Every structure is written in structure tokens, then in C-alpha cells.
């Protein structure tokens, strides 16, 4: 990944410059990064992936609703603060406790689940995605 320092008219790139372009730009935490898709998959979506994709789409829509409601936003902010404190010590255990993933039962799966959510929106979407997948 390359780090860019763009000129003033183009200080926040986002996305591709052309439809078939493999170089993608994004701005995270005030810095613009570019990266390339090397081997994108263009085949059909597997039947096993469809429920996961649908749950994620529903979680993103629900997250937008939750973030617009002041009471729910207060709840999520308090929960996120608790999560970040716990995740500093052990991200996998914090994910199992606050997001509710079933990976806590399996040590190998828990190592895969040691992602640290640094944004409130990402934390909310992950929590809602797990809840929606468990309800299906």
C-alpha cells in the first residue's frame, strides 16, 4: 500500500478512477492510501456466502438507523468504551464478550477473531451482523 500526499484540489480521493481500474483510493484517519486488487474474483456468489452478505447488508442499514437515534447511540457509545478497554488486554475475548461471536468456544477460531474494531460504526455493524446471522 502506498501513502499519498495529494494536492489541495484532490485532498480526499475515494474509490476507483475508472470502472475497470484495479487501483483503489481511500482516506482513513486523514491519510489517503492507494492499493491494488491483484486477483479479484469475478465468478458467481456461493450459496453459503449469500446469507452472510445479506446479514451484512441488513446490519449496515440497521446501523444507520441506530446511529440516528440518540438513545441507541448513547447505548452503543458506552458499550464501545467498555469494549475498547477490554480489547486492549485481549481482543479475541473482548469480541466474544461484546460482539457475541461463537468463536470463543474454539481456540483456533478465536485466533481468527482477534480483530480490533477501532471505529464505533464498525463495532456496531459487527455486533448487528452476528445477531442477524444467529437469528437466521
Amino acid at each position: 500500500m502506498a501513502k499519498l500526499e495529494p494536492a489541495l484540489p484532490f485532498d480526499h480521493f475515494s474509490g476507483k478512477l475508472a470502472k475497470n481500474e484495479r487501483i483503489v483510493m481511500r482516506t482513513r484517519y486523514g491519510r489517503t492510501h492507494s492499493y491494488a486488487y491483484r486477483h479479484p474474483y469475478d465468478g458467481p456468489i456461493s450459496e453459503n456466502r449469500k446469507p452472510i452478505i445479506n446479514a451484512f447488508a441488513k446490519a449496515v442499514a440497521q446501523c444507520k438507523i441506530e446511529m440516528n437515534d440518540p438513545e441507541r447511540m448513547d447505548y452503543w457509545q458506552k458499550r464501545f468504551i467498555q469494549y475498547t478497554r477490554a480489547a486492549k488486554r485481549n481482543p479475541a475475548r473482548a469480541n466474544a464478550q461484546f460482539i457475541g461471536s461463537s468463536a470463543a468456544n474454539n481456540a483456533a477460531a478465536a485466533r481468527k477473531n482477534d480483530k480490533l474494531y477501532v471505529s464505533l460504526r464498525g463495532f456496531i455493524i459487527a455486533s448487528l451482523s452476528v445477531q442477524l446471522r444467529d437469528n437466521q
Side-chain angles (χ1 to χ4, degrees), residues 59-117:
V60 170
Q62 182 65 31
C63 176
K64 186 174 182 180
I65 294 168
E66 299 267 331
M67 291 182 82
N68 287 331
D69 183 10
E71 291 177 11
R72 293 299 294 167
M73 189 64 175
D74 186 46
Y75 164 78
W76 284 111
Q77 286 175 337
K78 289 177 183 174
R79 191 159 171 82
F80 183 65
I81 290 169
Q82 293 172 346
Y83 165 77
T84 52
R85 287 181 187 148
K88 285 180 184 177
R89 287 173 271 168
N90 189 337
R93 188 178 300 151
N95 288 345
Q97 179 183 359
F98 289 95
I99 296 175
S101 67
S102 59
N105 300 332
N106 185 352
R111 274 185 250 113
K112 284 184 178 179
N113 196 28
D114 62 353
K115 176 178 173 55
L116 176 65
Y117 294 96

Side-chain angles (χ1 to χ4, degrees), residues 23-38:
I23 297 175
V24 181
M25 311 248 190
R26 69 180 180 189
T27 302
R28 295 288 188 259
Y29 307 111
R31 304 226 32 189
T32 301
H33 303 276
S34 66
Y35 57 97
Y37 285 122
R38 298 199 183 243

